[in-house]
Amino acid sequence: MKIGVISDTHNFLDPKIHELFAGVGHILHAGDIGNATIISELELIAPVTAVYGNNDMNLPFRETEIIELAARKFLVHHIINPHAPGERVLERIARELPDVIVFGHTHKRFCETMGWILFFNPGYSGKPKLNLERSAAILHCDEKEIRAEFLPL
């Protein structure tokens, strides 16, 4: 299964996303969406699971989502420090035992397994600014592994 992963759109969905995410079975948006119409546009590609970010307080999404895809459990939450998750996140990890934690907020790509959990940030996908590297990602999941593919924007 191919899973599209995006974060920090900040009210801008890059037109390349439609082509880059063609054929994905699901999309995870890790917050700082901007306008809810971004999610509606993504839903034209595949089903979407989204969480709100620190700039999305008026959107109808939850802070954390848990979803099972490709026989793996994904926890999606906007702000996570993989090296020192907050107490509430640690409690949720202990309760849910996710295989993958998808997050955003830092605007930087991250892909590292700690313990049994893959911590994954697709990077910043909003409007070009301040020479920030922009990207989204696809997680290729099969019965043996999860392979990350970062997609430059």
Side-chain angles (χ1 to χ4, degrees):
M1 177 180 200
K2 291 179 9 177
I3 301 167
V5 186
I6 192 167
S7 187
D8 297 281
T9 48
H10 294 281
N11 210 32
F12 173 75
L13 185 62
D14 192 298
K16 296 176 193 170
I17 291 295
H18 290 277
E19 181 182 333
L20 294 172
F21 280 4
V24 301
H26 202 90
I27 298 170
L28 303 175
H29 194 306
D32 276 358
I33 298 161
N35 189 304
T37 59
I38 298 285
I39 302 305
S40 298
E41 286 185 55
L42 289 170
E43 287 174 333
L44 296 173
I45 303 167
V48 177
T49 299
V51 297
Y52 68 76
N54 57 303
N55 292 304
D56 293 330
M57 296 307 169
N58 294 323
L59 294 180
F61 301 102
R62 293 192 281 194
E63 180 179 37
T64 305
E65 288 286 354
I66 302 291
I67 185 165
E68 194 163 316
L69 301 166
R72 290 178 177 83
K73 191 179 280 190
F74 290 79
L75 184 151
V76 186
H77 188 94
H78 185 59
I79 300 175
I80 290 186
N81 177 346
H83 301 289
E87 186 177 324
R88 285 179 39 216
V89 172
L90 283 173
E91 289 171 2
R92 194 76 187 253
I93 290 169
R95 187 170 62 246
E96 299 291 347
L97 301 174
D99 300 294
V100 181
I101 295 178
V102 174
F103 65 101
H105 187 64
T106 64
H107 295 192
K108 295 177 183 171
R109 299 173 181 181
F110 189 89
C111 182
E112 189 174 327
T113 300
M114 295 182 215
W116 75 90
I117 302 171
L118 173 64
F119 285 83
F120 189 76
N121 184 332
Y124 170 72
S125 66
K127 286 184 180 176
K129 66 177 183 178
L130 305 173
N131 294 321
L132 280 175
E133 185 176 12
R134 299 172 57 246
S135 62
I138 292 181
L139 291 175
H140 299 268
C141 301
D142 63 29
E143 50 283 338
K144 294 179 184 176
E145 67 177 354
I146 299 174
R147 181 177 54 83
E149 176 186 8
F150 288 102
L151 309 168
L153 296 173

Short mmCIF file of all heavy atoms in Angstrom, two decimals, residues 3-8 26-33 39 48-53 61-69 72-80 89 92-93 96 98-105 117-122 139:
data_model
loop_
_atom_site.label_atom_id
_atom_site.label_comp_id
_atom_site.label_asym_id
_atom_site.label_seq_id
_atom_site.Cartn_x
_atom_site.Cartn_y
_atom_site.Cartn_z
N ILE A 3 0.96 5.21 0.94
CA ILE A 3 0.28 6.21 1.77
C ILE A 3 0.94 7.56 1.52
O ILE A 3 2.15 7.72 1.72
CB ILE A 3 0.38 5.83 3.27
CG1 ILE A 3 -0.27 4.45 3.50
CG2 ILE A 3 -0.27 6.90 4.13
CD1 ILE A 3 0.05 3.86 4.84
N GLY A 4 0.14 8.53 1.08
CA GLY A 4 0.64 9.88 0.91
C GLY A 4 0.70 10.57 2.26
O GLY A 4 -0.22 10.44 3.08
N VAL A 5 1.79 11.29 2.51
CA VAL A 5 1.95 11.99 3.79
C VAL A 5 2.33 13.44 3.50
O VAL A 5 3.26 13.72 2.73
CB VAL A 5 3.03 11.31 4.67
CG1 VAL A 5 3.07 11.96 6.05
CG2 VAL A 5 2.79 9.81 4.78
N ILE A 6 1.59 14.34 4.15
CA ILE A 6 1.79 15.76 3.92
C ILE A 6 1.57 16.51 5.23
O ILE A 6 0.85 16.04 6.11
CB ILE A 6 0.82 16.25 2.80
CG1 ILE A 6 1.17 17.65 2.31
CG2 ILE A 6 -0.63 16.13 3.23
CD1 ILE A 6 0.47 18.04 1.02
N SER A 7 2.20 17.65 5.37
CA SER A 7 2.03 18.47 6.57
C SER A 7 2.35 19.92 6.24
O SER A 7 3.00 20.21 5.24
CB SER A 7 2.95 17.97 7.68
OG SER A 7 2.68 18.67 8.89
N ASP A 8 1.86 20.78 7.10
CA ASP A 8 2.21 22.20 7.04
C ASP A 8 1.93 22.81 5.66
O ASP A 8 2.78 23.48 5.08
CB ASP A 8 3.67 22.40 7.46
CG ASP A 8 3.87 21.99 8.91
OD1 ASP A 8 3.52 22.78 9.80
OD2 ASP A 8 4.34 20.86 9.15
N HIS A 26 -4.33 6.04 0.68
CA HIS A 26 -4.78 6.88 1.78
C HIS A 26 -3.80 8.05 1.90
O HIS A 26 -2.64 7.93 1.48
CB HIS A 26 -4.80 6.09 3.10
CG HIS A 26 -5.71 6.68 4.14
ND1 HIS A 26 -7.03 6.34 4.24
CD2 HIS A 26 -5.47 7.60 5.10
CE1 HIS A 26 -7.58 7.01 5.24
NE2 HIS A 26 -6.64 7.79 5.78
N ILE A 27 -4.26 9.15 2.49
CA ILE A 27 -3.41 10.32 2.72
C ILE A 27 -3.49 10.68 4.20
O ILE A 27 -4.59 10.72 4.77
CB ILE A 27 -3.84 11.52 1.85
CG1 ILE A 27 -3.69 11.19 0.37
CG2 ILE A 27 -3.03 12.77 2.22
CD1 ILE A 27 -4.31 12.22 -0.57
N LEU A 28 -2.34 10.96 4.80
CA LEU A 28 -2.26 11.45 6.17
C LEU A 28 -1.78 12.90 6.12
O LEU A 28 -0.76 13.19 5.49
CB LEU A 28 -1.27 10.61 6.98
CG LEU A 28 -1.56 9.11 7.06
CD1 LEU A 28 -0.43 8.39 7.80
CD2 LEU A 28 -2.89 8.85 7.73
N HIS A 29 -2.53 13.80 6.76
CA HIS A 29 -2.12 15.21 6.85
C HIS A 29 -1.84 15.50 8.31
O HIS A 29 -2.71 15.39 9.16
CB HIS A 29 -3.21 16.15 6.33
CG HIS A 29 -2.72 17.55 6.10
ND1 HIS A 29 -2.09 18.29 7.08
CD2 HIS A 29 -2.77 18.34 5.01
CE1 HIS A 29 -1.77 19.49 6.59
NE2 HIS A 29 -2.17 19.53 5.33
N ALA A 30 -0.59 15.88 8.62
CA ALA A 30 -0.14 16.05 10.00
C ALA A 30 -0.27 17.47 10.52
O ALA A 30 0.50 17.89 11.37
CB ALA A 30 1.29 15.55 10.14
N GLY A 31 -1.24 18.23 10.04
CA GLY A 31 -1.58 19.50 10.66
C GLY A 31 -0.97 20.74 10.05
O GLY A 31 -0.14 20.68 9.16
N ASP A 32 -1.44 21.90 10.58
CA ASP A 32 -1.22 23.21 9.99
C ASP A 32 -1.72 23.18 8.55
O ASP A 32 -1.00 23.45 7.59
CB ASP A 32 0.22 23.68 10.12
CG ASP A 32 0.48 24.33 11.48
OD1 ASP A 32 -0.46 24.44 12.29
OD2 ASP A 32 1.63 24.74 11.73
N ILE A 33 -2.99 22.86 8.45
CA ILE A 33 -3.68 22.69 7.18
C ILE A 33 -3.93 24.04 6.52
O ILE A 33 -3.64 24.22 5.35
CB ILE A 33 -5.03 21.96 7.42
CG1 ILE A 33 -4.77 20.58 7.99
CG2 ILE A 33 -5.86 21.91 6.14
CD1 ILE A 33 -5.96 19.95 8.69
N ILE A 39 -8.25 19.80 2.64
CA ILE A 39 -8.61 18.39 2.87
C ILE A 39 -9.60 17.92 1.81
O ILE A 39 -9.48 16.81 1.29
CB ILE A 39 -9.16 18.19 4.30
CG1 ILE A 39 -8.12 18.64 5.34
CG2 ILE A 39 -9.56 16.73 4.51
CD1 ILE A 39 -6.75 17.99 5.22
N VAL A 48 -8.67 10.68 3.39
CA VAL A 48 -7.72 11.48 4.16
C VAL A 48 -7.99 11.34 5.66
O VAL A 48 -9.13 11.39 6.09
CB VAL A 48 -7.80 12.97 3.78
CG1 VAL A 48 -6.86 13.83 4.63
CG2 VAL A 48 -7.52 13.18 2.30
N THR A 49 -6.92 11.20 6.42
CA THR A 49 -6.97 11.33 7.87
C THR A 49 -6.11 12.54 8.20
O THR A 49 -4.95 12.60 7.80
CB THR A 49 -6.41 10.07 8.57
OG1 THR A 49 -7.22 8.95 8.21
CG2 THR A 49 -6.40 10.24 10.08
N ALA A 50 -6.71 13.51 8.90
CA ALA A 50 -6.00 14.76 9.19
C ALA A 50 -6.16 15.14 10.66
O ALA A 50 -7.16 14.79 11.30
CB ALA A 50 -6.54 15.88 8.31
N VAL A 51 -5.16 15.85 11.17
CA VAL A 51 -5.22 16.42 12.51
C VAL A 51 -4.99 17.93 12.40
O VAL A 51 -4.42 18.41 11.42
CB VAL A 51 -4.16 15.80 13.45
CG1 VAL A 51 -4.42 14.31 13.65
CG2 VAL A 51 -2.74 16.04 12.95
N TYR A 52 -5.45 18.65 13.42
CA TYR A 52 -5.18 20.09 13.39
C TYR A 52 -3.78 20.36 13.93
O TYR A 52 -3.21 19.58 14.69
CB TYR A 52 -6.24 20.89 14.13
CG TYR A 52 -6.29 20.72 15.64
CD1 TYR A 52 -5.35 21.32 16.47
CD2 TYR A 52 -7.31 19.99 16.23
CE1 TYR A 52 -5.41 21.18 17.84
CE2 TYR A 52 -7.39 19.85 17.61
CZ TYR A 52 -6.43 20.45 18.40
OH TYR A 52 -6.50 20.32 19.76
N GLY A 53 -3.23 21.48 13.49
CA GLY A 53 -1.94 21.95 13.99
C GLY A 53 -2.12 23.17 14.85
O GLY A 53 -3.25 23.62 15.09
N PHE A 61 -11.08 19.20 13.18
CA PHE A 61 -10.25 18.00 13.24
C PHE A 61 -9.81 17.79 14.68
O PHE A 61 -9.88 18.70 15.50
CB PHE A 61 -9.03 18.12 12.31
CG PHE A 61 -9.42 18.34 10.88
CD1 PHE A 61 -9.34 19.60 10.31
CD2 PHE A 61 -9.89 17.30 10.11
CE1 PHE A 61 -9.71 19.81 9.00
CE2 PHE A 61 -10.28 17.50 8.80
CZ PHE A 61 -10.19 18.76 8.24
N ARG A 62 -9.33 16.60 14.97
CA ARG A 62 -8.85 16.30 16.32
C ARG A 62 -7.35 16.53 16.41
O ARG A 62 -6.65 16.60 15.41
CB ARG A 62 -9.19 14.85 16.67
CG ARG A 62 -10.69 14.64 16.79
CD ARG A 62 -11.02 13.32 17.42
NE ARG A 62 -10.90 12.25 16.44
CZ ARG A 62 -11.36 11.05 16.63
NH1 ARG A 62 -11.96 10.74 17.74
NH2 ARG A 62 -11.21 10.12 15.70
N GLU A 63 -6.87 16.59 17.64
CA GLU A 63 -5.44 16.79 17.89
C GLU A 63 -4.64 15.54 17.50
O GLU A 63 -3.52 15.65 17.01
CB GLU A 63 -5.23 17.10 19.37
CG GLU A 63 -3.78 17.33 19.73
CD GLU A 63 -3.59 17.66 21.20
OE1 GLU A 63 -4.30 17.08 22.05
OE2 GLU A 63 -2.71 18.49 21.49
N THR A 64 -5.22 14.37 17.73
CA THR A 64 -4.55 13.11 17.45
C THR A 64 -5.51 12.15 16.76
O THR A 64 -6.68 12.10 17.12
CB THR A 64 -4.06 12.44 18.76
OG1 THR A 64 -3.24 13.37 19.47
CG2 THR A 64 -3.26 11.18 18.48
N GLU A 65 -5.02 11.45 15.79
CA GLU A 65 -5.80 10.40 15.12
C GLU A 65 -4.99 9.11 15.14
O GLU A 65 -3.76 9.12 15.03
CB GLU A 65 -6.10 10.76 13.66
CG GLU A 65 -7.12 11.86 13.48
CD GLU A 65 -8.55 11.42 13.76
OE1 GLU A 65 -8.81 10.22 13.99
OE2 GLU A 65 -9.43 12.31 13.76
N ILE A 66 -5.71 8.02 15.27
CA ILE A 66 -5.13 6.68 15.18
C ILE A 66 -5.84 6.00 14.01
O ILE A 66 -7.07 6.01 13.94
CB ILE A 66 -5.38 5.86 16.46
CG1 ILE A 66 -4.81 6.56 17.68
CG2 ILE A 66 -4.84 4.44 16.30
CD1 ILE A 66 -3.31 6.62 17.74
N ILE A 67 -5.07 5.42 13.10
CA ILE A 67 -5.67 4.72 11.97
C ILE A 67 -4.82 3.50 11.63
O ILE A 67 -3.59 3.55 11.73
CB ILE A 67 -5.84 5.64 10.74
CG1 ILE A 67 -6.59 4.89 9.64
CG2 ILE A 67 -4.52 6.21 10.28
CD1 ILE A 67 -7.12 5.78 8.54
N GLU A 68 -5.48 2.42 11.26
CA GLU A 68 -4.77 1.23 10.83
C GLU A 68 -4.82 1.17 9.31
O GLU A 68 -5.88 1.21 8.71
CB GLU A 68 -5.38 -0.03 11.44
CG GLU A 68 -4.47 -1.22 11.28
CD GLU A 68 -4.81 -2.37 12.20
OE1 GLU A 68 -5.08 -2.12 13.39
OE2 GLU A 68 -4.79 -3.51 11.71
N LEU A 69 -3.63 1.09 8.73
CA LEU A 69 -3.47 0.99 7.27
C LEU A 69 -2.39 -0.05 7.00
O LEU A 69 -1.37 -0.07 7.69
CB LEU A 69 -3.04 2.34 6.67
CG LEU A 69 -3.97 3.53 6.90
CD1 LEU A 69 -3.25 4.83 6.56
CD2 LEU A 69 -5.22 3.38 6.05
N ARG A 72 -0.81 -1.93 9.82
CA ARG A 72 0.03 -1.21 10.78
C ARG A 72 -0.78 -0.09 11.40
O ARG A 72 -1.65 0.48 10.77
CB ARG A 72 1.26 -0.63 10.08
CG ARG A 72 2.25 -1.71 9.66
CD ARG A 72 3.42 -1.09 8.93
NE ARG A 72 4.40 -2.09 8.59
CZ ARG A 72 4.34 -2.87 7.52
NH1 ARG A 72 3.33 -2.78 6.69
NH2 ARG A 72 5.30 -3.73 7.26
N LYS A 73 -0.43 0.25 12.63
CA LYS A 73 -1.13 1.31 13.33
C LYS A 73 -0.33 2.61 13.22
O LYS A 73 0.86 2.65 13.53
CB LYS A 73 -1.33 0.94 14.80
CG LYS A 73 -2.28 1.89 15.52
CD LYS A 73 -2.47 1.50 16.97
CE LYS A 73 -3.44 0.37 17.10
NZ LYS A 73 -3.82 0.14 18.52
N PHE A 74 -1.02 3.67 12.77
CA PHE A 74 -0.42 4.99 12.62
C PHE A 74 -1.03 5.94 13.64
O PHE A 74 -2.25 5.98 13.80
CB PHE A 74 -0.71 5.55 11.21
CG PHE A 74 0.01 4.84 10.11
CD1 PHE A 74 -0.45 3.61 9.64
CD2 PHE A 74 1.14 5.38 9.54
CE1 PHE A 74 0.20 2.95 8.62
CE2 PHE A 74 1.81 4.72 8.51
CZ PHE A 74 1.33 3.50 8.05
N LEU A 75 -0.18 6.69 14.32
CA LEU A 75 -0.61 7.77 15.19
C LEU A 75 -0.20 9.06 14.49
O LEU A 75 0.96 9.22 14.11
CB LEU A 75 0.07 7.66 16.55
CG LEU A 75 -0.34 8.67 17.62
CD1 LEU A 75 -0.18 8.05 19.01
CD2 LEU A 75 0.45 9.96 17.55
N VAL A 76 -1.16 9.95 14.28
CA VAL A 76 -0.90 11.23 13.60
C VAL A 76 -1.15 12.35 14.61
O VAL A 76 -2.21 12.42 15.23
CB VAL A 76 -1.82 11.41 12.36
CG1 VAL A 76 -1.44 12.67 11.60
CG2 VAL A 76 -1.76 10.17 11.46
N HIS A 77 -0.15 13.22 14.78
CA HIS A 77 -0.21 14.31 15.76
C HIS A 77 0.74 15.40 15.27
O HIS A 77 1.84 15.10 14.83
CB HIS A 77 0.24 13.76 17.13
CG HIS A 77 0.06 14.69 18.27
ND1 HIS A 77 -1.07 14.66 19.06
CD2 HIS A 77 0.85 15.66 18.76
CE1 HIS A 77 -0.95 15.57 20.02
NE2 HIS A 77 0.21 16.20 19.84
N HIS A 78 0.35 16.65 15.35
CA HIS A 78 1.14 17.71 14.73
C HIS A 78 2.49 17.95 15.40
O HIS A 78 3.53 17.94 14.74
CB HIS A 78 0.34 19.01 14.69
CG HIS A 78 1.03 20.13 13.96
ND1 HIS A 78 1.40 20.04 12.64
CD2 HIS A 78 1.44 21.34 14.39
CE1 HIS A 78 2.00 21.16 12.27
NE2 HIS A 78 2.05 21.97 13.32
N ILE A 79 2.50 18.21 16.69
CA ILE A 79 3.74 18.60 17.37
C ILE A 79 4.25 17.43 18.21
O ILE A 79 3.64 17.07 19.22
CB ILE A 79 3.56 19.85 18.26
CG1 ILE A 79 3.10 21.03 17.42
CG2 ILE A 79 4.86 20.18 18.98
CD1 ILE A 79 2.77 22.28 18.22
N ILE A 80 5.37 16.86 17.78
CA ILE A 80 6.01 15.78 18.53
C ILE A 80 7.52 15.97 18.43
O ILE A 80 8.06 16.20 17.35
CB ILE A 80 5.63 14.39 17.97
CG1 ILE A 80 4.16 14.11 18.29
CG2 ILE A 80 6.54 13.30 18.52
CD1 ILE A 80 3.69 12.73 17.93
N VAL A 89 1.53 12.52 24.91
CA VAL A 89 1.87 11.70 23.74
C VAL A 89 2.43 10.36 24.20
O VAL A 89 2.09 9.31 23.64
CB VAL A 89 2.85 12.44 22.81
CG1 VAL A 89 3.36 11.53 21.71
CG2 VAL A 89 2.17 13.67 22.20
N ARG A 92 -0.33 8.15 25.17
CA ARG A 92 -1.05 7.65 23.99
C ARG A 92 -0.25 6.55 23.29
O ARG A 92 -0.80 5.56 22.84
CB ARG A 92 -1.33 8.82 23.03
CG ARG A 92 -2.32 8.54 21.95
CD ARG A 92 -3.75 8.57 22.51
NE ARG A 92 -4.72 8.14 21.55
CZ ARG A 92 -5.58 8.94 20.94
NH1 ARG A 92 -5.59 10.24 21.19
NH2 ARG A 92 -6.45 8.46 20.09
N ILE A 93 1.06 6.73 23.22
CA ILE A 93 1.93 5.70 22.62
C ILE A 93 1.82 4.41 23.42
O ILE A 93 1.67 3.32 22.85
CB ILE A 93 3.39 6.19 22.55
CG1 ILE A 93 3.53 7.31 21.52
CG2 ILE A 93 4.34 5.04 22.22
CD1 ILE A 93 4.88 8.03 21.55
N GLU A 96 -1.74 2.91 22.71
CA GLU A 96 -2.05 2.52 21.33
C GLU A 96 -1.00 1.60 20.69
O GLU A 96 -1.30 0.89 19.75
CB GLU A 96 -2.22 3.77 20.46
CG GLU A 96 -3.33 4.69 20.89
CD GLU A 96 -4.72 4.13 20.69
OE1 GLU A 96 -4.86 3.10 19.99
OE2 GLU A 96 -5.66 4.71 21.24
N PRO A 98 1.58 2.31 18.57
CA PRO A 98 1.63 2.51 17.11
C PRO A 98 2.93 1.99 16.50
O PRO A 98 3.96 1.92 17.16
CB PRO A 98 1.55 4.03 16.97
CG PRO A 98 2.20 4.54 18.22
CD PRO A 98 1.80 3.56 19.29
N ASP A 99 2.83 1.64 15.23
CA ASP A 99 4.02 1.25 14.46
C ASP A 99 4.71 2.49 13.88
O ASP A 99 5.92 2.50 13.69
CB ASP A 99 3.62 0.32 13.31
CG ASP A 99 2.97 -0.94 13.81
OD1 ASP A 99 3.66 -1.73 14.47
OD2 ASP A 99 1.75 -1.13 13.57
N VAL A 100 3.89 3.51 13.57
CA VAL A 100 4.39 4.73 12.92
C VAL A 100 3.75 5.93 13.60
O VAL A 100 2.55 5.94 13.87
CB VAL A 100 4.04 4.75 11.42
CG1 VAL A 100 4.60 6.01 10.75
CG2 VAL A 100 4.54 3.50 10.71
N ILE A 101 4.56 6.96 13.86
CA ILE A 101 4.06 8.25 14.32
C ILE A 101 4.38 9.27 13.25
O ILE A 101 5.54 9.47 12.89
CB ILE A 101 4.68 8.65 15.67
CG1 ILE A 101 4.24 7.66 16.75
CG2 ILE A 101 4.29 10.09 16.03
CD1 ILE A 101 4.81 7.92 18.12
N VAL A 102 3.32 9.89 12.73
CA VAL A 102 3.46 10.91 11.69
C VAL A 102 3.23 12.26 12.35
O VAL A 102 2.23 12.46 13.07
CB VAL A 102 2.45 10.68 10.55
CG1 VAL A 102 2.49 11.83 9.55
CG2 VAL A 102 2.74 9.35 9.85
N PHE A 103 4.14 13.19 12.11
CA PHE A 103 4.03 14.51 12.71
C PHE A 103 4.50 15.58 11.72
O PHE A 103 5.00 15.27 10.65
CB PHE A 103 4.82 14.58 14.03
CG PHE A 103 6.31 14.42 13.89
CD1 PHE A 103 7.16 15.52 13.93
CD2 PHE A 103 6.89 13.16 13.72
CE1 PHE A 103 8.54 15.37 13.81
CE2 PHE A 103 8.26 13.00 13.61
CZ PHE A 103 9.09 14.10 13.65
N GLY A 104 4.34 16.82 12.10
CA GLY A 104 4.76 17.95 11.27
C GLY A 104 5.42 18.99 12.15
O GLY A 104 6.25 18.68 12.99
N HIS A 105 5.03 20.25 11.95
CA HIS A 105 5.40 21.40 12.77
C HIS A 105 6.81 21.92 12.56
O HIS A 105 7.00 23.14 12.48
CB HIS A 105 5.16 21.10 14.25
CG HIS A 105 5.37 22.29 15.14
ND1 HIS A 105 4.59 23.41 15.07
CD2 HIS A 105 6.30 22.53 16.12
CE1 HIS A 105 5.00 24.29 15.96
NE2 HIS A 105 6.04 23.79 16.60
N ILE A 117 9.12 2.02 16.84
CA ILE A 117 8.28 3.03 16.20
C ILE A 117 9.07 3.83 15.16
O ILE A 117 10.15 4.35 15.44
CB ILE A 117 7.71 4.01 17.24
CG1 ILE A 117 6.89 3.26 18.29
CG2 ILE A 117 6.84 5.08 16.56
CD1 ILE A 117 6.47 4.12 19.47
N LEU A 118 8.48 3.97 13.97
CA LEU A 118 9.02 4.86 12.95
C LEU A 118 8.43 6.24 13.18
O LEU A 118 7.21 6.42 13.14
CB LEU A 118 8.65 4.37 11.54
CG LEU A 118 9.02 5.32 10.41
CD1 LEU A 118 10.54 5.52 10.30
CD2 LEU A 118 8.45 4.83 9.09
N PHE A 119 9.27 7.21 13.49
CA PHE A 119 8.86 8.61 13.61
C PHE A 119 9.08 9.26 12.26
O PHE A 119 10.20 9.19 11.71
CB PHE A 119 9.68 9.33 14.69
CG PHE A 119 9.29 8.95 16.09
CD1 PHE A 119 9.80 7.81 16.68
CD2 PHE A 119 8.40 9.73 16.82
CE1 PHE A 119 9.45 7.45 17.97
CE2 PHE A 119 8.04 9.38 18.12
CZ PHE A 119 8.57 8.23 18.69
N PHE A 120 8.02 9.89 11.72
CA PHE A 120 8.10 10.36 10.35
C PHE A 120 7.47 11.73 10.18
O PHE A 120 6.32 11.96 10.56
CB PHE A 120 7.38 9.36 9.42
CG PHE A 120 7.59 9.67 7.97
CD1 PHE A 120 8.80 9.36 7.36
CD2 PHE A 120 6.61 10.28 7.24
CE1 PHE A 120 9.00 9.66 6.02
CE2 PHE A 120 6.80 10.59 5.90
CZ PHE A 120 8.00 10.28 5.30
N ASN A 121 8.25 12.66 9.61
CA ASN A 121 7.78 14.00 9.26
C ASN A 121 8.05 14.20 7.78
O ASN A 121 9.21 14.11 7.35
CB ASN A 121 8.53 15.04 10.10
CG ASN A 121 8.02 16.46 9.89
OD1 ASN A 121 7.52 16.80 8.82
ND2 ASN A 121 8.18 17.29 10.89
N PRO A 122 7.01 14.46 6.97
CA PRO A 122 7.22 14.61 5.53
C PRO A 122 7.88 15.93 5.13
O PRO A 122 8.27 16.10 3.99
CB PRO A 122 5.80 14.53 4.97
CG PRO A 122 4.95 15.11 6.07
CD PRO A 122 5.60 14.62 7.35
N LEU A 139 4.78 6.77 1.95
CA LEU A 139 5.24 5.60 2.70
C LEU A 139 4.78 4.37 1.93
O LEU A 139 3.59 4.17 1.72
CB LEU A 139 4.68 5.60 4.12
CG LEU A 139 5.21 6.69 5.04
CD1 LEU A 139 4.48 6.67 6.38
CD2 LEU A 139 6.71 6.54 5.26
#
